[in-house]
């Protein structure tokens, strides 16, 4: 005589254990995917923060450049030196983590700022904005769309 009730009970128990293990793996995989997605969002947010800080520092350098009508007094020179230092630090941080094209654009903008070439700096800033938006996967923006 075959003890069917014990065989069926054992089979159900093994199936239950197998189901619990499989469910645990699925849940662990879901948690890992969630953690990976959070990490990716944090990386993108940090990249955006660095991009914005570098772009702002370079724009501040442009604003600190003496205009044709301004005098070359000590406060203008100190403000320009300070703006150049902030822009240099921000561009260096940007070059450490950005793509090659963004780093190149940042270097060009910084060089234009250091040389005091406002026209070249404006062009470099426009190119930097395009490169950063492309690196972030954001639709390109025409300068006319800003105003």
């Amino acid at each position: 005589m075959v003890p069917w009730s014990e065989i069926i009970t054992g089979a159900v128990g093994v199936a239950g254990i197998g189901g619990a293990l499989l469910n645990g793996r699925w849940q662990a995989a879901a948690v890992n995917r969630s953690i990976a997605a959070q990490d990716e969002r944090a990386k993108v947010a940090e990249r955006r923060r660095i991009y914005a800080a570098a772009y702002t520092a370079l724009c501040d350098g442009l604003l600190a450049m003496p205009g044709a009508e301004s005098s070359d007094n000590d406060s203008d020179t100190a403000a320009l030196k300070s703006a150049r230092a902030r822009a240099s630090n921000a561009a260096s941080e940007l070059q450490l983590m950005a793509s090659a094209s963004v780093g190149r654009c940042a270097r060009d903008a910084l060089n234009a700022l250091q040389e005091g070439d406002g026209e070249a700096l404006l062009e470099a800033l426009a190119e930097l904005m395009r490169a950063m938006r492309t690196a972030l996967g954001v639709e390109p923006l025409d300068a006319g769309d800003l105003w």
Side-chain angles (χ1 to χ4, degrees):
M1 174 144 39
V2 178
W4 288 107
S5 64
E6 292 173 7
I7 292 174
I8 292 172
T9 302
V12 168
V14 169
I17 291 171
L21 291 173
L22 189 58
N23 187 32
R25 283 191 179 182
W26 285 339
Q27 287 179 350
V31 167
N32 287 339
R33 283 192 303 273
S34 175
I35 291 170
Q38 285 176 338
D39 287 347
E40 185 60 30
R41 282 191 296 273
K43 286 178 186 177
V44 170
E46 180 67 6
R47 188 180 310 155
R48 282 184 177 153
R49 185 199 63 76
I50 292 170
Y51 283 6
Y55 190 81
T56 301
L58 288 164
C59 287
D60 288 348
L62 177 66
L63 295 174
M65 284 183 171
E69 68 280 348
S70 70
S71 63
D72 266 342
N73 60 27
D74 289 339
S75 66
D76 286 346
T77 303
L80 183 57
K81 284 182 180 181
S82 175
R84 283 179 177 166
R86 286 190 312 273
S88 178
N89 290 339
S92 295
E93 183 180 17
L94 181 66
Q95 288 176 332
L96 283 173
M97 53 75 55
S99 66
S101 63
V102 172
R104 230 181 346 270
C105 292
R107 185 190 63 236
D108 293 345
L110 186 59
N111 287 342
L113 176 62
Q114 299 293 356
E115 293 169 4
D117 187 351
E119 189 70 31
L121 180 54
L122 279 173
E123 291 174 14
L125 286 171
E127 193 60 35
L128 178 61
M129 177 63 77
R130 278 188 221 96
M132 289 189 300
R133 289 179 67 88
T134 300
L136 290 171
V138 180
E139 182 178 313
L141 184 65
D142 185 18
D145 295 339
L146 293 174
W147 314 105

